[in-house]
Amino acid sequence: MIEAPFLLPLIIIVPLLLALGVVIRVTQRVAIKIAPWAALPALLAGLLLDDGKLQLPGMLINSYLLFDNTGRLFLLMSAMLWLATGLLHQAYSGALYAQQKVVFKLLAMAGCFLMPLAGDVLMFMAATTLAGYSLYGLLAQEKNRTTREAVNVMLVVLVVGDIVLFELLQLLGMHAVSVDFDAMRQAFVMTEQMNVQFGLLLFGLGAKMGLLGLHFWLIPVFITSHLALRPALISFIFSAGFIAWLRLFPLGEVYYPAIGALLQWGAWLMLGYALLLGVRQTHRRGVLAVILMTVTALWLSIVAALLIQPELWLSMSRSLVLAVIQMGLVMSALLIGQGLLKHKPTLKHSYALTVCLAIFLLAVAPVSLIRHFDSANSLTVTSLWIGAGIMMFLLWRTHFLLLASAEDSSYSKVLKTSHKGRSVNRYLFPGLVAVALVTAVPNLKFLSAITAFSFLLLFASMLLIAWLSRFYKPTEPSQLTSGFIVQQFKQGSSAIMEATQYLDIYSTRLRKGITKRFSPKFVLSHFSWYERSLNRWSVALIIMVLIGLLVSVQGLLNQ
Amino acid sequence: MNSPMIYALLGITLFSVGLYGLIVREHLLRKILALNIMGSGIFLMLVALGKRSAGELPDPVPHAMVITGIVVAVSATALALTLMLKLVEASGSAVLHDAPKDRS
Amino acid sequence: MGDLLTDAHWGVLLILLPLFGGLCSFLWPSAVKFIGLATVSAVALSVVGLGDQLLATGVYHHAVGGWGAPLGIDLYADGLSLFMLMVTALVGLGVSIYALDYFDQDEARRFWPLWLLLLGGLNALFLSADIFNLYVTLEIVGLAGVGLASLSGGGAALDGAMRYLMATLLGSLCYLLGVALLYHSAGTVDIPLLAERLESTPPVWAALGLICAGLALKTALFPLHFWLPKAHASASAPVSALLSALVVKASFYIFLRLWLEIFSVRTEGVDDLLGALGMAAIIWGSLQALQQTRLKLMIAYSTVSQVGYLFLVFPLAAIGTFSAWSAVAYLVLSHALAKSAMFLVAGNLMHFGGHDRIADLDRAVQRLPITVGAFALAGVSIMGLPPSGGFIGKWLLLNEALNQGRWDLVFVMMIGGVLAAAYIFKVLGFAFTQAPVTHEPKGVPAVMEWSALLLAVAAIVVGFLASPLMLILGIGETVELMGAGQ
Amino acid sequence: MNWHAWIPLFVVVSSLLPGLIIFGLPEERVGWRTLLNLTGAVIKLLLVSWMIWGVYQGDHFETRLALLPDLDLVLRAGPLSLFFVALSTILWLVTTVYAIGYLEGSPNRSRFFGFFSLCVTATVGVALAGNLITFLLFYELLTLATYPLIVHRGTDTARRAGQTYLRYTIFGGALILLGTVWLYQLTGTLEFTPRGFLSQIDPQHYPALKIIFALLIAGLGVKAALFPLHGWLPQAMVAPAPVSALLHAVAVVKAGAFGIVRVIYDVFGVEFSADLGVTTPLAWIAAFTIIYGSLRALFQDDLKRRLAFSTVSQVSYIALGVAIAGPIATIGGVVHLVHQGLMKITLFFCAGNLAETLGIHKVSEMNGVGRRMPWTMAAFTIGALGMIGAPPVAGFISKWYLGVGALEAGQDWVLLVLMGSSLLNCAYFLPILYSAWFKPTPKSWPEEHHFGRQETAWALLLPPLITALMALAAGLLTGLPFSPLEWAKIIAEREFYQP
């Protein structure tokens, strides 16, 4: 491992420089060619660089780059996912607005790499905003209307989430001695309105991770986003969501059973809702969005457990991060797997095998965490089992539906086969699953015999139920809940617009009325009659005599 | 009521008669006449006041003032008359038009 | 040479020079412009001479012809009269330069003699020490003013001049009657002697009433302002500048002089009456000015409003504080400069466009930048915005009013400033915009534009010369009487 | 060293002299006019940086001219005044370049640049004023100098806009004059002293002081576009783009806000005005203006009117920051003086570019403009993100300090106001970005001018980019010694909260 913290900024500067290169006409062609490999420095740094901390003197408010264990893992994940995005993008993106897409892609990449490295809160916020807005730029390029509508809803949710997070940071900032993460954590620990601040955190981060109330943008975006963008999406969601939880929220130091219990029941509610939604999903990637919601639900139940027993955190922190990385990799693999199959129909059998391995790895991640929990928080253990079960059931179900109706066109959209599929893309899907397997190994080592056996039992039963349920095919189109909410959102906002529009017109008419009535001309026209009378010779002289008398009378008065 | 006081009072009445004439009369010539009457009223009063010092010789200062006053009054009247003639020539009537024409 | 300068009789020179100049210009009409300008600049120099003589030896006192006070005519110059002489010289110089190019040959032949007579009358008025002499000089100024007003010969001009003549004569006659009554009760016409001998008897009150009414009519205070707008608006530009800036101030000077010396102690009621009339004048004048569609009428009504400011000092000066009087002096100076500049600008615009309708000031700012610039600077002083002399006057007056808790005066001054801004910027607004019907302009000689700008800049620069001017105002005991030592 | 006595005066004169000379220049003397403008700007920049360095070391710069026997004009360079002078000088240089490009070939340019330099002189004078009378003098000069720029176009709408502008500002000026005279009566001095000179006034004057405070703030509020007095700003948008850029986003509006800071800190003293109870109503008014401005901006289809209402709401941040009598909130308010200036001038430059190159005035016409003019729209995006408070750009720092300062001063409701206004900012800026970048470009632009290969003339393109980079740098590199934030901290500790 090389001890060189000063190389850290390079990870972010390279993509930014490339983005600049793409914008400037002279170096455009070269920059676009290099763009897919822009994630390499991050990958190398993640593998080779030692842990370290780099103080950035001028930047923001005494900010610094932090490279610790969680940062390394998330950086590696993001690097791999962005590498995949780069390769896929070069192969399959259309010619339209190519230059603008590459710029947004590079900016989003820089943002996603900065998130794990950010040492202080403001740098992290800057990274999330940069990544969020550029990702929005990428997604908004899509041609069809539903994506653009969903992406607009996503932007609104992201922006509101950011603002809520900003307010939370300000609430913490008052107590915190400085702006970096551990000072913020101390502030979080010693604050008195814990529930307010936890609520804000939940809302802020939930907006990105698809919390129950804020999940409606997830499904349409997952379904309609372009093949190349899906790994980037997962990278953004996982790093913006989970890093903030790990860095900002003092998982090990807060004992708050009241919120823990409430959160536990919330997680259960989400799992149930996810199951219901997953079953009704017709599109494969819609199901994966629901899988993401399940992962979030599991995360919340783990956090609930930690709130009840903070001391668990020390033992399980490392394996928790590994499990999250593993789930992220598997989900992105599944997301792009189907797309790749479409371009290379010949790989049908190897695809089936890797899908089976992927589903196994995805489900085993939560199960491998059970060993950390004892009987005290049984609710969390059961929720982990149920979560794994739901994931397996939904994935198998989609797989079987896919196989059953390989020929039915309405079921799986056939992408037009692109022209220059690079050979290396073929290995992306199995490669990602292999990396996920590597991350799973440290957790699987400690898997006790009973849990392993009960897991295999669960695996087989879910396989069976899924195979049985393939006869129930939902009829009307999939986006039941999300479409409805997007509609409501649009109608609601347009209604508000009209109401305030009317208010605006009415106030301007009112103001014009007032100014007309009291305008100077209107008032002054009365005076001209007096002026004419004053100009008459006789009137003036009489007034003059009056003044003379008045003055002389004064003399008499104050005699 | 010695005689100077009577003359002074007569002067003041002449002054007020002139003032009344100035206010009421429209025609310019009458206004100029009224001004002259007022002037002579003041001069009469000044002369009457001259008999105030003890000895039989009257006080010279009011007389000096009256002479200057007469000179001023004559020149003023001359200017007024020529101006009136010019005005009649220009606007056809020797009356100050109270209703200002150019009230646009 | 030094002492020749200090003890020469500048006062006498100040009166003789213009009269002599007037006669010469009357006799030699061909060289009238040269004689006129030479005389006016000589008068300006002699005012400077008188100034440093006063600074050196204090009050200037000269018995004309050696006769003493009761009979002879005395010349008397203190800080206040020097200040007024300075104002007259400054404005006179500016207007004379303007008039060089404004009048063609035969009009100039008639303008200069009358103007020099007027200048002589004014100088005599500011130097005279007894009230009858004030009457005589007031009459000269009045008649010369009427002559000048009727110079342009149009129907309107004659009507305005006639109205002006009637008002002036009536005012002087009332003043003369007042003088007669004062003489009757005090036996003298000399102002210092009068100050000791007067006590409040019925004839004195009658005299006070008559003098106040007469002078109010001549200064065109609010209810008696009927003659001013038409007379000043219909006269030619330099003449209306002189009438507005100087002649109106002359009668106010007499008011001030009598008030300081003779009447100041006895009458509080009158002060408040004059203050009330002043306030009414400010509001009424501004409102009327706002309504005018012709530029010269608007400026004339603005004079009516600004005269109101001058009368605000009477209620404040009851206890004779120096800052109130210096405020009035300042207002007189800055108003004279600004108003004359405005009338000269109006003259330029008339010459340029053939009309002075405000609505049709078609892009004047771009084609006559110096003239509109002069109007803007003069406007700043009229409105009393900071960099100008008007502001200093307004600041001192406001200070005095607040000091004595006179909230009504403060309020009226504020409204006056805002209304003044309203009508001045109305004109500036139209000067910038493109009028619907454009007309072909006539070129305006540079001298006329630059003289207007000179006067306007003077109105601004005066704002920065507060301390030296206050020093001048402090000469002579009249101001000590006002507690100048404060 | 008497040199220090004359530098403030030289700074003011360095833009007055070129202005007066330019008035005299005939129309076609473009070279001379540009030379005069730029040399004036550069000289002023050098003098200001010398003074900044001097004040940093603790030197003392003051010019005193006698005005009245016991009242004189004072130009003093303290940290706060230099802060505002530096902002207006830099932006004057940039806007001059922009104006030269923008007014290419249009009539009356000598007159325009003459009054332009006069305005900057007045702004610098307002900044350097050492006592209330000098402040009032330059404040009124600013009104007089900006009026001709508003009516520069010569159309009737311009005249009417000028009329409303004057109606407000003259009324404001009268109020300040009344307040100043009354204060002078009560205290006998008008000098700006760091912690205010009113604390030892005997209590029976307190009601009078309250009224004076109301008068002064109302007068200043006109230019700072506080709620009831903001009507003139949207209507003044009829002026050409450089005017609305420098004046209505930076000079005039900031003079009002700067005045409020001066009155609260150097006349009344923040503790005294806090326990006098006058700052809370000001905070309420500022908060209401923030929300009201943003709400009105939401429905303006005309781009410049929308930016104008956004200015109305953004300037009230400064008033809010100052009205919350806490040290950190002050830093937030004062630093927003510069940040808002940089961001808003970028937005106005871009609006000017769009109007000049493509003839776009309405937001609805801005579909796909990002492709036709990528660099301009990039600058616009940076400015807009800054306005919203998105972290890398400068806006979020002032919002951060305002929020934390408000909490520390115990005024929690301010946080809600900030949150609400950030939401509203997003609501009226993001649709513009969305339609500019992601909607398809229309077939033809209203009146398109081509400038060879690059999207618009260099003189129009460089200024917005420079100011956008400055806004980004002010946000990103706030740690550097001479950054706006550090200087605001120096102001807070030196001028407002001395031990």
Side-chain angles (χ1 to χ4, degrees), chain B residues 3-63:
Chain B
S3 58
M5 198 49 73
I6 298 167
Y7 287 118
L9 283 176
L10 189 63
I12 289 173
T13 43
L14 264 179
F15 180 85
S16 33
V17 161
L19 189 61
Y20 173 75
L22 197 60
I23 293 172
V24 173
R25 286 295 171 257
E26 281 289 319
H27 196 285
L28 278 176
L29 194 60
R30 291 183 190 282
K31 284 190 189 287
I32 296 169
L33 276 175
L35 279 170
N36 275 318
I37 292 167
M38 287 167 71
S40 49
I42 299 171
F43 299 146
L44 179 61
M45 209 196 84
L46 267 172
V47 167
L49 296 180
K51 176 70 189 71
R52 52 195 306 288
S53 56
E56 68 292 340
L57 283 180
D59 169 5
V61 172
H63 293 278

XYZ file of all heavy atoms in Angstrom, chain B residues 3-63:
462
model
N -55.825 121.950 13.440
C -56.016 121.807 11.972
C -55.124 120.704 11.385
O -55.607 119.910 10.575
C -55.687 123.154 11.312
O -54.327 123.487 11.665
N -53.847 120.544 11.777
C -53.054 119.473 11.096
C -53.745 118.109 11.218
O -53.830 117.351 10.257
C -51.725 119.468 11.861
C -51.733 120.625 12.760
C -53.093 121.197 12.832
N -54.340 117.805 12.420
C -54.981 116.485 12.588
C -56.110 116.331 11.579
O -56.263 115.278 10.942
C -55.535 116.372 14.032
C -55.812 114.963 14.449
S -54.392 113.888 14.075
C -53.243 114.476 15.370
N -56.861 117.435 11.337
C -57.976 117.322 10.375
C -57.410 116.974 9.002
O -57.856 116.054 8.322
C -58.750 118.679 10.328
C -59.353 118.963 11.716
C -59.818 118.661 9.260
C -59.858 120.396 11.861
N -56.333 117.706 8.644
C -55.789 117.449 7.302
C -55.295 116.006 7.212
O -55.484 115.311 6.224
C -54.648 118.458 7.032
C -55.164 119.847 6.783
C -54.828 120.911 7.636
C -56.036 120.104 5.712
C -55.319 122.167 7.427
C -56.538 121.380 5.509
C -56.181 122.417 6.370
O -56.670 123.663 6.181
N -54.642 115.522 8.321
C -54.134 114.129 8.278
C -55.300 113.178 8.044
O -55.258 112.314 7.149
C -53.430 113.816 9.601
N -56.368 113.385 8.817
C -57.539 112.492 8.642
C -58.058 112.586 7.215
O -58.325 111.562 6.545
C -58.645 112.905 9.632
C -58.373 112.436 11.098
C -59.452 112.948 12.036
C -58.298 110.928 11.133
N -58.101 113.814 6.663
C -58.578 113.993 5.270
C -57.689 113.168 4.329
O -58.134 112.434 3.457
C -58.491 115.504 4.921
C -59.158 115.877 3.587
C -60.652 115.588 3.618
C -58.890 117.351 3.266
N -56.355 113.235 4.624
C -55.425 112.466 3.763
C -55.764 110.989 3.789
O -55.874 110.336 2.745
N -55.985 110.485 5.013
C -56.258 109.036 5.116
C -57.545 108.693 4.382
O -57.638 107.685 3.666
C -56.325 108.645 6.611
C -54.905 108.716 7.191
C -56.902 107.248 6.796
C -54.830 108.529 8.686
N -58.589 109.557 4.482
C -59.851 109.252 3.766
C -59.581 109.240 2.250
O -60.008 108.307 1.546
C -60.898 110.351 4.071
O -60.239 111.623 4.004
C -61.511 110.133 5.429
N -58.786 110.249 1.810
C -58.467 110.240 0.364
C -57.815 108.904 -0.010
O -58.175 108.251 -0.996
C -57.485 111.400 0.070
C -58.127 112.695 -0.427
C -57.055 113.779 -0.647
C -58.855 112.450 -1.745
N -56.860 108.446 0.835
C -56.148 107.186 0.558
C -57.148 106.026 0.425
O -57.155 105.289 -0.571
C -55.162 106.911 1.710
C -54.370 105.622 1.529
C -53.210 105.630 0.776
C -54.820 104.429 2.086
C -52.472 104.455 0.591
C -54.087 103.255 1.895
C -52.921 103.274 1.154
N -58.110 105.966 1.410
C -59.041 104.818 1.360
C -59.985 104.951 0.165
O -60.300 103.929 -0.498
C -59.828 104.750 2.664
O -60.055 106.035 3.179
N -60.379 106.165 -0.182
C -61.242 106.329 -1.379
C -60.486 105.793 -2.616
O -60.994 104.982 -3.398
C -61.606 107.828 -1.554
C -62.081 108.074 -2.985
C -62.664 108.238 -0.536
N -59.203 106.214 -2.688
C -58.418 105.731 -3.842
C -58.362 104.212 -3.847
O -58.586 103.561 -4.878
N -58.116 103.637 -2.642
C -58.000 102.164 -2.556
C -59.295 101.511 -3.041
O -59.300 100.587 -3.860
C -57.718 101.774 -1.084
C -57.355 100.296 -0.853
C -56.090 99.921 -1.601
C -57.187 100.036 0.653
N -60.452 102.068 -2.549
C -61.757 101.511 -2.950
C -61.882 101.565 -4.472
O -62.211 100.555 -5.125
C -62.880 102.294 -2.277
C -64.252 101.897 -2.779
C -64.830 100.688 -2.371
C -64.924 102.689 -3.704
C -66.065 100.294 -2.855
C -66.153 102.290 -4.190
C -66.726 101.102 -3.761
O -67.942 100.706 -4.255
N -61.505 102.719 -5.031
C -61.629 102.873 -6.492
C -60.788 101.834 -7.205
O -61.214 101.170 -8.154
N -59.598 101.613 -6.663
C -58.686 100.652 -7.320
C -59.315 99.259 -7.318
O -59.300 98.539 -8.322
C -57.354 100.634 -6.528
C -56.146 100.021 -7.249
C -55.839 100.779 -8.540
C -54.935 100.048 -6.327
N -59.942 98.922 -6.162
C -60.497 97.552 -6.069
C -61.675 97.403 -7.016
O -61.755 96.444 -7.799
C -60.925 97.275 -4.613
C -59.687 97.222 -3.701
C -61.708 95.967 -4.515
C -60.020 97.141 -2.222
N -62.576 98.394 -7.025
C -63.872 98.176 -7.708
C -63.740 98.397 -9.216
O -64.207 97.591 -10.014
C -64.916 99.163 -7.114
C -66.183 99.069 -7.935
C -65.157 98.833 -5.665
N -63.043 99.442 -9.618
C -63.114 99.823 -11.028
C -62.344 98.842 -11.902
O -61.259 98.393 -11.557
C -62.481 101.230 -11.199
C -63.390 102.320 -10.654
C -64.684 102.420 -11.443
N -65.649 103.315 -10.799
C -66.703 102.865 -10.114
N -66.904 101.565 -9.984
N -67.529 103.731 -9.540
N -62.918 98.542 -13.076
C -62.296 97.600 -14.008
C -61.334 98.337 -14.952
O -60.233 97.918 -15.206
C -63.394 96.943 -14.884
C -64.145 95.824 -14.185
C -63.258 94.594 -14.011
O -62.528 94.297 -14.984
O -63.244 94.022 -12.916
N -61.779 99.498 -15.409
C -61.062 100.139 -16.525
C -59.706 100.629 -16.037
O -59.557 101.124 -14.930
C -61.877 101.331 -17.058
C -61.398 101.769 -18.427
N -60.221 102.481 -18.598
C -61.916 101.569 -19.668
C -60.032 102.715 -19.872
N -61.049 102.154 -20.565
N -58.693 100.465 -16.826
C -57.313 100.785 -16.407
C -57.157 102.267 -16.098
O -56.515 102.647 -15.117
C -56.342 100.371 -17.522
C -55.994 98.861 -17.499
C -55.103 98.513 -18.678
C -55.298 98.533 -16.195
N -57.774 103.107 -16.920
C -57.589 104.555 -16.716
C -58.078 104.938 -15.318
O -57.429 105.632 -14.563
C -58.393 105.323 -17.787
C -58.013 106.813 -17.881
C -56.535 106.978 -18.233
C -58.874 107.501 -18.924
N -59.245 104.317 -14.943
C -59.784 104.632 -13.612
C -58.822 104.133 -12.539
O -58.593 104.771 -11.532
C -61.148 103.945 -13.447
C -62.216 104.575 -14.343
C -63.561 103.929 -14.115
N -64.519 104.381 -15.132
C -65.127 105.558 -15.112
N -64.879 106.384 -14.098
N -65.955 105.917 -16.070
N -58.193 102.995 -12.825
C -57.254 102.474 -11.792
C -56.089 103.449 -11.618
O -55.690 103.768 -10.492
C -56.726 101.098 -12.259
C -57.735 99.966 -12.087
C -57.044 98.618 -12.337
C -58.055 97.473 -12.398
N -58.585 97.172 -11.041
N -55.586 103.971 -12.749
C -54.443 104.896 -12.639
C -54.878 106.136 -11.867
O -54.182 106.637 -10.972
C -53.931 105.243 -14.058
C -53.390 103.959 -14.737
C -52.881 106.322 -14.008
C -53.096 104.104 -16.193
N -56.086 106.616 -12.189
C -56.601 107.804 -11.450
C -56.651 107.502 -9.962
O -56.165 108.254 -9.118
C -58.004 108.142 -11.967
C -58.015 109.021 -13.232
C -59.448 109.202 -13.762
C -57.446 110.389 -12.872
N -57.168 106.287 -9.631
C -57.301 105.926 -8.204
C -55.919 105.978 -7.538
O -55.755 106.523 -6.432
C -57.880 104.512 -8.114
N -54.909 105.444 -8.260
C -53.559 105.438 -7.674
C -53.115 106.865 -7.373
O -52.584 107.170 -6.291
C -52.583 104.771 -8.663
C -52.607 103.217 -8.641
C -51.805 102.648 -9.787
C -52.065 102.726 -7.311
N -53.404 107.777 -8.336
C -52.971 109.176 -8.117
C -53.651 109.773 -6.890
O -53.029 110.452 -6.069
C -53.294 110.008 -9.366
C -52.152 109.860 -10.393
O -50.984 109.876 -9.996
N -52.481 109.648 -11.633
N -54.946 109.420 -6.759
C -55.666 109.984 -5.582
C -55.018 109.485 -4.291
O -54.710 110.238 -3.370
C -57.152 109.564 -5.656
C -57.836 110.256 -6.833
C -57.871 109.886 -4.351
C -59.185 109.677 -7.186
N -54.685 108.178 -4.298
C -54.082 107.631 -3.064
C -52.773 108.390 -2.789
O -52.495 108.807 -1.647
C -53.792 106.138 -3.249
C -55.033 105.263 -3.246
S -54.662 103.599 -3.838
C -53.700 103.001 -2.462
N -51.994 108.602 -3.872
C -50.699 109.279 -3.693
C -50.910 110.666 -3.082
O -50.300 111.028 -2.055
N -51.840 111.389 -3.664
C -52.024 112.770 -3.145
C -52.534 112.730 -1.705
O -52.129 113.551 -0.866
C -53.021 113.508 -4.034
O -54.163 112.681 -4.201
N -53.316 111.697 -1.369
C -53.778 111.576 0.021
C -52.589 111.456 0.959
O -52.465 112.182 1.962
N -51.620 110.578 0.547
C -50.451 110.388 1.423
C -49.696 111.708 1.544
O -49.297 112.122 2.640
C -49.533 109.272 0.839
C -50.292 107.941 0.774
C -48.272 109.134 1.650
C -49.558 106.850 0.018
N -49.535 112.395 0.370
C -48.737 113.644 0.444
C -49.421 114.643 1.360
O -48.775 115.322 2.171
C -48.597 114.252 -0.966
C -47.887 113.310 -1.928
C -48.227 113.266 -3.276
C -46.901 112.456 -1.456
C -47.605 112.408 -4.132
C -46.281 111.563 -2.311
C -46.623 111.541 -3.654
N -50.756 114.748 1.264
C -51.488 115.690 2.131
C -51.195 115.359 3.593
O -50.850 116.223 4.405
C -52.995 115.570 1.852
C -53.881 116.488 2.711
C -53.532 117.968 2.441
C -55.334 116.239 2.415
N -51.192 114.029 3.895
C -50.998 113.669 5.306
C -49.601 114.071 5.734
O -49.375 114.613 6.830
C -51.165 112.143 5.457
C -51.675 111.729 6.832
S -51.425 109.985 7.103
C -49.730 110.013 7.666
N -48.626 113.812 4.805
C -47.229 114.129 5.153
C -47.113 115.632 5.460
O -46.539 116.031 6.479
C -46.310 113.759 3.967
C -45.710 112.326 4.028
C -44.989 111.990 2.734
C -44.752 112.257 5.211
N -47.715 116.426 4.577
C -47.600 117.904 4.782
C -48.254 118.278 6.113
O -47.683 119.003 6.929
C -48.299 118.640 3.602
C -48.468 120.103 3.975
C -47.452 118.470 2.346
N -49.407 117.644 6.390
C -50.103 117.992 7.646
C -49.195 117.675 8.829
O -49.087 118.457 9.775
C -51.390 117.161 7.732
N -48.495 116.552 8.717
C -47.650 116.153 9.870
C -46.469 117.134 10.009
O -45.836 117.191 11.051
C -47.130 114.722 9.648
C -48.244 113.632 9.598
C -47.661 112.278 9.382
C -49.039 113.692 10.901
N -46.162 117.867 8.945
C -45.008 118.765 8.994
C -45.146 119.768 10.143
O -44.180 120.171 10.768
N -46.392 120.115 10.496
C -46.602 121.166 11.532
C -46.557 120.499 12.918
O -47.543 120.438 13.646
C -47.997 121.800 11.292
C -48.405 122.832 12.321
C -47.610 124.098 12.236
C -47.936 124.978 13.445
N -47.334 124.359 14.706
N -45.393 119.944 13.235
C -45.414 119.269 14.553
C -44.378 119.863 15.492
O -44.467 119.740 16.686
C -45.153 117.761 14.339
C -43.890 117.472 13.514
C -43.905 116.043 13.037
N -44.082 115.072 14.153
C -43.124 114.820 15.021
N -41.953 115.434 14.924
N -43.347 113.974 16.008
N -43.375 120.528 14.894
C -42.349 121.060 15.806
C -42.906 122.329 16.487
O -43.845 122.973 15.977
C -41.112 121.436 14.970
O -41.551 122.342 13.962
N -42.320 122.699 17.596
C -42.912 123.747 18.476
C -42.993 125.094 17.752
O -44.062 125.688 17.604
C -42.038 123.914 19.718
N -41.881 125.501 17.166
C -41.842 126.855 16.599
C -42.799 127.015 15.432
O -43.454 126.069 14.988
N -42.932 128.232 14.929
C -43.898 128.426 13.829
C -43.330 127.879 12.524
O -44.043 127.566 11.597
C -44.250 129.907 13.677
C -43.127 130.817 13.193
C -42.012 130.949 14.240
O -42.276 130.659 15.438
O -40.893 131.253 13.816
N -41.941 127.707 12.461
C -41.398 127.182 11.186
C -41.730 125.673 11.068
O -41.471 124.911 11.992
C -39.873 127.353 11.170
C -39.382 128.784 10.889
C -37.858 128.845 10.884
C -39.920 129.237 9.532
N -42.314 125.235 10.008
C -42.661 123.770 9.883
C -41.398 122.908 9.718
O -40.356 123.400 9.310
C -43.525 123.703 8.626
C -43.088 124.865 7.825
C -42.611 125.946 8.778
N -41.534 121.609 10.039
C -40.392 120.667 9.979
C -40.092 120.368 8.490
O -40.989 119.969 7.751
C -40.818 119.393 10.738
C -39.807 118.248 10.513
O -38.778 118.521 9.862
O -40.083 117.109 10.943
N -38.860 120.648 8.009
C -38.568 120.549 6.551
C -38.628 119.117 6.004
O -38.956 118.906 4.840
C -37.123 121.084 6.473
C -36.537 120.830 7.831
C -37.658 120.888 8.815
N -38.384 118.074 6.811
C -38.204 116.704 6.253
C -39.449 116.229 5.498
O -39.354 115.797 4.343
C -37.843 115.710 7.404
C -37.845 114.278 6.902
C -36.502 116.096 7.987
N -40.679 116.339 6.075
C -41.842 115.849 5.297
C -41.948 116.530 3.939
O -42.272 115.895 2.941
C -43.033 116.222 6.191
C -42.472 116.415 7.538
C -41.070 116.854 7.393
N -41.607 117.844 3.915
C -41.727 118.538 2.626
C -40.793 117.914 1.599
O -41.154 117.664 0.444
C -41.425 120.018 2.830
C -42.485 120.675 3.666
N -43.669 121.120 3.150
C -42.574 120.886 5.016
C -44.433 121.619 4.100
N -43.783 121.483 5.263
